[in-house]
Amino acid sequence: MTTADPLAPFQWLNTHNSKDFLLGEIFTVAFFRGLDPSEVVRRFSCGEDYGQESTFNGLTEKVREFVGKTDGGYGGGSVGVLEVGEWSVAIELFGWMGTLHEVLAELSRGCEVLAITRHDYAEHSLEYAIDGTIVTGYRLTRAHDRYGSEPDRLNGFMRELGMALDTRDDESDWDTDYHAAVPRAFALAAKVTQVRFTSDMLSRAMLVGPVAYR
């Protein structure tokens, strides 16, 4: 009897050179429980905007224009948010604000947020926050080095996905872990949120607004 690969649905997030390379080498996806998309946009914009209905292509164009003007040093400048059940899913193309501790503390006031950043030129990371407190987080290639008010909060799910939660002397499988890191983080997010982030979601209408954090 074969067991389905839990990472298979998320391999599209790890690709570099195919038609599925939709989000790029730098992006953040944040899952918000208890907030609708307009409130998520309002928080990213520091209260200045509730978003306008657009598409993923519309978000992409806004980000390209912003990055072209700023040389990319301030992120992507826009966020696209769509609703999936009781969660809102926020997408920052070329952005990383959702996993910055000081920003996430504000974004998560009165709600629950799990955010994942892929950054091919820095570090991939996951942060889980509730009502302004970072509950647990880790760099995606260093699951054993967790932090937060309850660093072991997600350990059960992490073990189910085969993550090494203790410091290892043997680093021979580091390359395998590196290439599995992003899909594994989204598989973990799916266990926590019951939302499977798929490329099909990018074809849905979303609210797009500015990111005021720099």
Side-chain angles (χ1 to χ4, degrees):
M1 180 177 178
T2 59
T3 301
D5 179 2
L7 306 190
F10 309 103
Q11 291 296 344
W12 70 279
L13 294 155
N14 203 35
T15 189
H16 289 269
N17 54 9
S18 78
K19 64 182 179 61
D20 292 326
F21 189 41
L22 299 172
L23 300 182
E25 298 171 316
I26 301 171
F27 64 81
T28 297
V29 177
F31 303 83
F32 288 77
R33 186 178 188 178
L35 301 183
D36 63 25
S38 62
E39 174 60 19
V40 174
V41 172
R42 190 192 73 80
R43 292 194 180 197
F44 271 99
S45 70
C46 295
E48 296 299 318
D49 200 295
Y50 285 88
Q52 294 185 343
E53 188 168 318
S54 186
T55 63
F56 180 73
N57 286 340
L59 171 63
T60 299
E61 288 304 313
K62 283 185 174 293
V63 170
R64 284 176 177 166
E65 181 180 355
F66 182 83
V67 171
K69 292 178 179 178
T70 61
D71 294 326
Y74 298 99
S78 291
V79 64
V81 188
L82 51 90
E83 194 167 29
V84 184
E86 62 181 357
W87 294 79
S88 288
V89 180
I91 302 166
E92 292 180 74
L93 298 179
F94 206 80
W96 49 83
M97 296 301 159
T99 51
L100 293 183
H101 288 187
E102 63 274 19
V103 176
L104 183 56
E106 294 300 320
L107 293 176
S108 65
R109 297 290 180 191
C111 69
E112 176 182 354
V113 182
L114 189 152
I116 300 165
T117 291
R118 169 180 168 173
H119 197 313
D120 284 10
Y121 307 102
E123 289 187 295
H124 310 324
S125 62
L126 180 148
E127 305 286 339
Y128 179 51
I130 299 176
D131 194 19
T133 297
I134 306 300
V135 176
T136 186
Y138 66 98
R139 301 295 177 259
L140 298 193
T141 57
R142 298 178 60 83
H144 62 277
D145 189 17
R146 300 176 302 285
Y147 47 80
S149 62
E150 298 178 60
D152 297 335
R153 175 78 169 257
L154 305 181
N155 280 16
F157 289 144
M158 295 171 81
R159 287 194 179 96
E160 290 175 13
L161 293 167
M163 295 188 187
L165 301 185
D166 300 310
T167 303
R168 296 170 311 194
D169 294 328
D170 180 10
E171 298 294 338
S172 61
D173 60 351
W174 182 88
D175 188 61
T176 300
D177 283 353
Y178 178 83
H179 289 291
V182 172
R184 190 174 279 140
F186 279 89
L188 176 59
K191 286 181 175 291
V192 176
T193 68
Q194 299 302 303
V195 175
R196 181 182 287 188
F197 186 60
T198 66
S199 58
D200 291 343
M201 289 184 184
L202 303 183
S203 64
R204 296 172 50 179
M206 59 181 65
L207 289 182
V208 172
V211 175
Y213 295 99
R214 299 287 183 267

